[in-house]
Amino acid sequence: MKKFFVSFLILTLFLSGCGIKTSENNSSKLQTTQVSDILKNNSENIVMPHISQHIPQLITYNGNHVSAWVIQFLFVENGDLKESYDGDKSYIKLSYAKNNTIKTVDLISYALKYDLFNGIDYITASASGKYIVLEFSSDVPISIIVDTDTNKSSILWYDESKKESMMKISFNPSDDDEFAFLPSAEIKGPNGSHYLKLYEIKTHKINTVGEISDKNISMQNSMIQWGKNTINVISLDKSKIFNFTY
């Protein structure tokens, strides 16, 4: 239970400093109380010794007009995700605060269907906070997009027939409906090349920005950054940087 209370303390500090605007005197207190109640209710049946200790139980994001957090407790046995253990259930819940309202999306069904026992390890949002994207960590990562206007979620497939999703998603800073991504398959080209691509949400159109010919760089250990007229793919240790114009 110690880890739960540490997570609760972190989330309380996160919410108190995230700068959510309120229109009523008691709105901020109400939001904190709502989150506290959610955490309290979700913790009542947790049996901590059987929870996977290899995933972050609390992930937070604050930016682009939205504050979001994921709370996840997953039962794992012999490398497989279990739906429940001894009457308690695994769960992954995204909550986000936008326009003085807290909404929650249950994402456990995705993890169970594709055995994503490592859980979520990354959150980002579009320029105005319309979309939130979460990446499940896996040998072949799977990304989920949540529309904050409708509170609906779906998988961002690159090739659904091969169960290849989009990963390392980075939104265009000036356009909610466009983001750069890398296909979740490590090697795509005939010579071991990787490709940086753009996706338009409204049209579902995919365009290739450029090729990364260095087959020794791990795409899962890279990040995407937007510049004024460029998009960069950077290794996490910053030893390799690939620049593309768009």
Side-chain angles (χ1 to χ4, degrees):
M1 293 302 293
K2 289 182 179 179
K3 291 191 175 183
F4 165 75
F5 288 112
V6 170
S7 296
F8 172 73
L9 178 60
I10 293 172
L11 182 56
T12 301
L13 293 173
F14 166 75
L15 288 174
S16 65
C18 68
I20 301 174
K21 295 182 179 179
T22 59
S23 57
E24 300 291 341
N25 292 335
N26 295 325
S27 179
S28 180
K29 292 182 180 179
L30 176 60
Q31 290 175 350
T32 302
T33 301
Q34 288 173 331
V35 175
S36 177
D37 289 341
I38 291 170
L39 286 169
K40 181 179 179 180
N41 293 335
N42 287 338
S43 69
E44 289 177 351
N45 295 321
I46 292 300
V47 183
M48 293 305 295
H50 304 292
I51 295 292
S52 173
Q53 302 299 315
H54 303 292
I55 64 170
Q57 293 176 346
L58 173 67
I59 306 173
T60 62
Y61 172 87
N62 182 35
N64 292 338
H65 310 284
V66 66
S67 298
W69 57 97
V70 167
I71 303 175
Q72 52 188 357
F73 292 91
L74 301 180
F75 295 102
V76 177
E77 183 179 52
N78 298 324
D80 293 321
L81 178 61
K82 295 176 64 68
E83 182 175 2
S84 62
Y85 179 87
D86 196 24
D88 298 315
K89 292 186 176 182
S90 294
Y91 67 89
I92 301 176
K93 293 182 180 179
L94 164 70
S95 297
Y96 57 93
K98 183 179 177 183
N99 299 329
N100 303 319
T101 301
I102 294 178
K103 296 182 180 180
T104 299
V105 184
D106 192 340
L107 301 175
I108 189 61
S109 61
Y110 297 108
L112 291 171
K113 183 174 182 178
Y114 299 102
D115 196 26
L116 302 171
F117 55 84
N118 288 322
I120 291 168
D121 66 352
Y122 174 75
I123 306 174
T124 191
S126 62
S128 72
K130 175 176 171 55
Y131 299 107
I132 297 174
V133 168
L134 311 97
E135 184 175 297
F136 279 93
S137 175
S138 176
D139 290 339
V140 181
I142 288 181
S143 296
I144 306 294
I145 188 168
V146 175
D147 187 328
T148 62
D149 290 340
T150 64
N151 206 40
K152 293 182 179 180
S153 63
S154 60
I155 296 178
L156 287 168
W157 289 117
Y158 175 67
D159 187 333
E160 185 173 3
S161 65
K162 296 180 180 179
K163 298 299 184 289
E164 294 177 5
S165 182
M166 306 174 188
M167 69 176 185
K168 303 306 173 188
I169 288 168
S170 180
F171 279 92
N172 185 333
S174 59
D175 188 349
D176 269 310
D177 293 306
E178 182 179 57
F179 60 76
F181 75 95
L182 300 166
S184 61
E186 277 287 335
I187 297 175
K188 296 299 297 181
N191 298 317
S193 299
H194 311 282
Y195 294 94
L196 174 66
K197 296 178 179 289
L198 285 178
Y199 181 69
E200 296 179 8
I201 295 176
K202 288 183 177 179
T203 63
H204 305 292
K205 186 178 181 181
I206 296 177
N207 292 316
T208 298
V209 178
E211 178 182 2
I212 300 171
S213 59
D214 187 346
K215 64 181 181 181
N216 295 317
I217 184 175
S218 170
M219 293 294 96
Q220 291 194 37
N221 292 320
S222 300
M223 57 183 174
I224 299 173
Q225 290 184 345
W226 290 73
K228 185 176 181 180
N229 297 305
T230 62
I231 307 176
N232 305 319
V233 177
I234 307 171
S235 61
L236 290 184
D237 61 6
K238 299 183 179 180
S239 63
K240 296 181 179 181
I241 300 176
F242 304 89
N243 301 307
F244 303 96
T245 58
Y246 69 96

